[in-house]
Amino acid sequence: MRRKGTDEHLEQQRQRGLDLLKSGKKATEVAEMLGVDRSTVYRWKREAPNRKRKQKRGTSGRKPKLTKTQLRRLEKSLDRGASGFGFYGNHWTLDRIVQVIWQKFGVRYHPSSVWHIMQKLGWSSQRPQRRPFNRDEEAIEQWKAEGLPEIKKSAVN
């Protein structure tokens, strides 16, 4: 189990406990002062030398293929719209973004990986709404007002 509180708060409490131990306080006194179990204070003391080594490590995992600067440039390019890159229609698909990344930066990504990049940039998944060019809004509203109620009445009977 873990105590309630943010990681930063718990780290500050642990560091305060270690400082009190260095100043000459006993583990039982530190435990009472901080409201933790005595065994917790002993564990902090035991793990303190190893903790410094852990904090010096860098981030884990593979380095990103695109730098932060390249990601900003990509986002500005995508803001121009898909038609600015010669695509039909002004909507982005993951495959189109893959092609743009390859053209601009020479880096290959799988479309599912591009999805993670787009989420990191704050973009969301949206589908373009398709409407016919010859759509007659007035005729549709008239049908909703007159034709639809007749159909509903006949379905009830």
Side-chain angles (χ1 to χ4, degrees):
M1 294 276 299
R2 176 184 144 136
R3 291 179 63 95
K4 290 184 179 180
T6 63
D7 290 342
E8 293 83 19
H9 174 73
L10 295 175
E11 179 63 27
Q12 287 173 354
Q13 186 180 33
R14 186 190 67 77
Q15 192 58 49
R16 184 166 175 236
L18 290 173
D19 292 341
L20 289 170
L21 286 172
K22 285 180 187 174
S23 69
K25 300 278 185 193
K26 293 183 179 180
T28 52
E29 294 173 325
V30 173
E32 282 183 30
M33 292 172 73
L34 298 178
V36 298
D37 192 60
R38 185 180 45 151
S39 62
T40 302
V41 177
Y42 285 122
R43 182 174 39 84
W44 289 345
K45 186 177 179 181
R46 185 178 64 243
E47 293 176 354
N50 297 334
R51 196 155 183 90
K52 290 178 183 173
R53 276 187 270 151
K54 286 182 181 178
Q55 290 174 348
K56 290 182 182 177
R57 287 187 197 161
T59 57
S60 62
R62 182 178 181 165
K63 290 185 180 178
K65 293 180 183 180
L66 295 177
T67 64
K68 291 180 182 180
T69 306
Q70 289 173 324
L71 287 175
R72 284 194 297 270
R73 286 179 40 207
L74 173 66
E75 190 168 19
K76 285 182 182 178
S77 298
L78 296 178
D79 285 339
R80 289 188 356 214
S83 57
F85 285 91
F87 296 112
Y88 176 75
N90 202 18
H91 64 279
W92 286 110
T93 64
L94 295 177
D95 291 324
R96 288 179 176 186
I97 296 171
V98 166
Q99 290 178 15
V100 170
I101 292 173
W102 174 247
Q103 289 171 2
K104 290 190 72 62
F105 308 110
V107 176
R108 291 205 186 272
Y109 271 105
H110 189 271
S112 64
S113 299
V114 171
W115 169 243
H116 296 290
I117 292 171
M118 299 312 295
Q119 281 183 318
K120 192 188 310 183
L121 293 175
W123 287 50
S124 63
S125 173
Q126 298 178 358
R127 295 194 181 262
Q129 194 171 20
R130 299 183 188 267
R131 290 183 174 228
F133 290 114
N134 57 355
R135 183 179 168 109
D136 186 2
E137 294 293 334
E138 290 178 16
I140 293 170
E141 290 302 319
Q142 183 180 356
W143 180 82
K144 284 181 181 178
E146 298 170 9
L148 185 60
E150 291 297 321
I151 295 172
K152 286 184 177 181
K153 285 180 187 177
S154 63
V156 172
N157 294 334

